[in-house]
Amino acid sequence: METLLAIWHYIAAALTLLATLLASGHAVIYKRDSRSAVFWVAVIWIAPVFGAILYLTFGVNRIRRRAQSLLSDIDRTRHRPRAAAITPAKLHEILPDESKRLSHLARLSGAILRRPLLPGNRIEPLIDGDAAYPAMLDAIRGAKTSIALCTYIFDSRSIGRDFVEALTDAVNRGVETRVIVDATGARYSWPSVVPQLARAGVRVTRFLPTFPPVRPLAINLRNHRKILVVDGRIGFTGGMNIREGNLRKRAPRKPIQDIHFRVEGPVVAQMMEAFADDWNFCAKEPLAGETWFPPLEPAGEMPARGITDGPDEDFEKLARTIHGALSCARDSIRIVTPYFLPDAAMISALRTAAFRGVEIDIIMPMKGNLPFVQWATQAQLWQVLEARCRVWLTPPPFDHAKLLVIDGHWSLIGSANWDPRSLQLNFEFNVECYDRAFAETLESLIQDRLSRARRITLEDVDGRPVPVKLRDGIARLFHPFL
């Protein structure tokens, strides 16, 4: 009996050692952050078996692996544009002298994104739902061949009813109509809009349903894109959901200010590509042909490129593009975001730019809609304030806009926030724009915000009461999950 117990002890010890070696080896090989690798190796060896289980549960990026496995069998939609792509050399020729260096950014983003930079685009800002929703509804009501709509939140009441009616009428006219609503976002209003659309004959699907919870990791894989493409020619994108709060003229109970964009030109096909990939994943139906991808003529002079980002093969493409833009900045960086929780690398890039003499303005809401995120933000603001970045808080209503303007010449618009969820977990869509006139338009919108904002200083952050600092510091510990 004692011999048998001794054998079992040896077997258990051998299995424990094997699990410890495998887990620590995995951490050493696959953890890109050396500090994270050291932390997990220490945990694994200090608490054998339990440490390996902790690492398997929380240390392995199973969310990204899940995304890659889910989307790996989808044939990506790629439309060959009629317009010739703008090469970095050509962009260097057409840019003004003071911004020719942006051709290097175009080379970098082209290598990262593997999408062409297309000429001939026109993008118009639409302020709040009061301007955006009528323009979107007019486009839907005038649709002749196709409508593709993807949104995170789609209210089933108020303005949502107007969209349901317009989409229903389009289906009755024989317009090919496809709608994607994120499964989590669909639950923001009750009853859900999805059954309403389905009963009306609209082809609609939820992105990654999470109930019943047969795929628990999918709860973090959310489609945060906002894309509307009508007849393959007119596009709308930005950060605006379909919600009553965006209609500020109606004095909603929880008002939201935001900016959306009307897009025309060849880059609309890249918006449609992003939608087609999502639809094919959800509905197993490829979208192709001139119904969805008609020939597109130039609508303006702006060079622009669509950016798809997500935890699949597009992982960190947007973050790398932003890093490239920050490194190119010489004069100014203007950031408008509802949530500001950049990782250490992004903070380092901002600090480096500030130390080079670049003026950096970071503009966010004075009162956020997610207190826990706001607490975590306050806990790390000292890092950018210490580098003399200027941080501004805008008064209510809650500002949901997302803008990045570099040196008054390069702009980034779209759905992504400056937080880990947008830059690592969500599926996002953004557009980079190389156009001084458009950047100046955005700068004027930013300046309007600055005129109403209160600047926060390092003294303000350091002067928080100790209980508030503890609260904010605890919230910051959950930074990767916010």
Side-chain angles (χ1 to χ4, degrees):
M1 188 66 174
E2 291 180 358
T3 302
L4 185 60
L5 286 174
I7 292 173
W8 278 113
H9 281 308
Y10 282 123
I11 292 174
L15 291 175
T16 300
L17 179 61
L18 178 62
T20 302
L21 289 172
L22 289 174
S24 56
H26 189 281
V28 168
I29 293 172
Y30 292 105
K31 280 295 174 185
R32 293 181 292 178
D33 188 327
S34 59
R35 292 169 298 181
S36 177
V38 169
F39 168 79
W40 280 113
V41 168
V43 169
I44 290 164
W45 283 93
I46 290 171
V49 180
F50 181 67
I53 292 172
L54 279 177
Y55 175 70
L56 179 64
T57 304
F58 299 105
V60 180
N61 192 345
R62 292 157 67 221
I63 292 174
R64 185 185 174 200
R65 289 172 182 267
R66 178 61 172 163
Q68 290 174 323
S69 65
L70 284 171
L71 278 77
S72 61
D73 61 342
I74 298 299
D75 292 330
R76 300 285 173 168
T77 304
R78 290 296 178 265
H79 172 70
R80 185 181 297 276
R82 174 179 292 186
I86 299 179
T87 65
K90 179 63 176 177
L91 184 65
H92 188 271
E93 292 178 9
I94 64 177
L95 285 173
D97 290 341
E98 64 270 24
S99 61
K100 287 187 180 298
R101 65 189 177 281
L102 292 176
S103 62
H104 301 296
L105 174 57
R107 186 182 303 277
L108 172 69
S109 59
I112 293 170
L113 304 173
R114 300 182 183 277
R115 266 198 171 97
L117 179 66
L118 298 175
N121 302 288
R122 179 177 180 270
I123 301 181
E124 174 191 0
L126 302 170
I127 310 303
D128 298 328
D130 302 299
Y133 295 153
M136 296 166 72
L137 288 168
D138 284 347
I140 292 171
R141 289 164 182 153
K144 295 180 174 59
T145 58
S146 63
I147 298 170
L149 172 62
C150 176
T151 186
Y152 179 62
I153 299 173
F154 192 146
D155 278 355
S156 58
R157 299 178 181 177
S158 183
I159 187 62
R161 284 196 295 265
D162 294 341
F163 275 87
V164 170
E165 291 174 4
L167 292 168
T168 302
D169 290 343
V171 169
N172 293 336
R173 296 196 310 271
V175 178
E176 292 287 340
T177 305
R178 306 289 188 274
V179 177
I180 302 171
V181 182
D182 183 78
T184 297
R187 292 197 288 269
Y188 273 69
S189 65
W190 185 261
S192 170
V193 74
V194 175
Q196 296 180 35
L197 289 168
R199 286 194 297 270
V202 178
R203 295 284 303 279
V204 59
T205 183
R206 294 181 177 91
F207 186 89
L208 275 182
T210 57
F211 186 84
V214 294
R215 295 182 294 195
L217 290 179
I219 195 169
N220 277 310
L221 301 176
R222 305 318 331 151
N223 192 320
H224 196 242
R225 294 169 181 159
K226 287 86 176 178
I227 295 173
L228 170 62
V229 179
V230 176
D231 293 339
R233 300 179 184 278
I234 303 172
F236 295 85
T237 193
M240 203 176 298
N241 293 293
I242 300 175
R243 305 198 76 178
E244 181 184 15
N246 290 108
L247 291 167
R248 293 178 59 192
K249 290 182 179 178
R250 296 187 185 179
R253 188 168 60 89
K254 294 182 178 180
I256 303 168
Q257 54 180 325
D258 209 336
I259 305 174
H260 220 55
F261 298 88
R262 188 179 192 273
V263 185
E264 293 178 275
V267 78
V268 172
Q270 295 181 345
M271 298 173 60
M272 190 61 224
E273 287 176 355
F275 179 91
D277 285 346
D278 289 345
W279 181 262
N280 194 14
F281 167 67
C282 294
K284 301 298 183 291
E285 178 194 19
L287 302 178
E290 290 199 5
T291 298
W292 305 101
F293 295 95
L296 295 174
E297 300 297 331
E301 299 181 355
M302 180 192 301
R305 172 168 26 215
I307 303 174
T308 53
D309 189 74
D312 54 353
E313 66 181 33
D314 292 329
F315 186 61
E316 291 190 339
K317 286 185 176 181
L318 178 58
R320 293 172 187 169
T321 302
I322 294 174
H323 274 287
L326 298 179
S327 68
C328 284
R330 288 188 183 176
D331 302 315
S332 64
I333 297 171
R334 307 279 187 257
I335 301 167
V336 179
T337 179
Y339 314 112
F340 184 72
L341 280 172
D343 61 15
M346 199 73 79
I347 288 177
S348 178
L350 288 169
R351 287 169 59 91
T352 299
F355 290 141
R356 288 193 286 109
V358 180
E359 290 187 351
I360 301 178
D361 290 295
I362 302 164
I363 304 149
M364 65 186 81
M366 183 179 297
K367 183 176 177 55
N369 64 336
L370 300 173
F372 206 72
V373 174
Q374 192 165 13
W375 300 341
T377 298
Q378 292 172 170
Q380 65 176 42
L381 278 181
W382 67 269
Q383 298 177 78
V384 291
L385 289 168
E386 187 182 60
R388 298 187 179 179
C389 299
R390 296 187 295 239
V391 177
W392 306 84
L393 303 180
T394 56
F398 174 64
D399 191 352
H400 193 250
K402 310 134 193 326
L403 303 173
L404 173 61
V405 181
I406 303 290
D407 291 349
H409 285 81
W410 181 89
S411 310
L412 181 73
I413 61 172
S415 62
N417 303 308
W418 282 60
D419 62 11
R421 187 160 293 279
S422 271
L423 297 177
Q424 295 182 358
L425 297 176
N426 287 343
F427 295 88
E428 307 279 2
F429 184 82
N430 287 66
V431 181
E432 63 163 344
C433 311
Y434 295 78
D435 186 84
R436 179 167 57 183
F438 181 65
E440 288 175 349
T441 299
L442 298 185
E443 286 272 15
S444 67
L445 296 173
I446 292 171
Q447 192 58 45
D448 177 65
R449 283 165 165 76
L450 289 175
S451 68
R452 297 179 281 110
R454 178 176 71 86
R455 184 176 175 182
I456 186 171
T457 65
L458 186 58
E459 289 72 23
D460 293 327
V461 172
D462 289 342
R464 290 170 298 154
V466 172
V468 173
K469 288 182 178 179
L470 286 172
R471 179 202 67 186
D472 296 348
I474 292 171
R476 186 174 64 89
L477 297 178
F478 296 88
H479 167 276
F481 309 102
L482 299 177

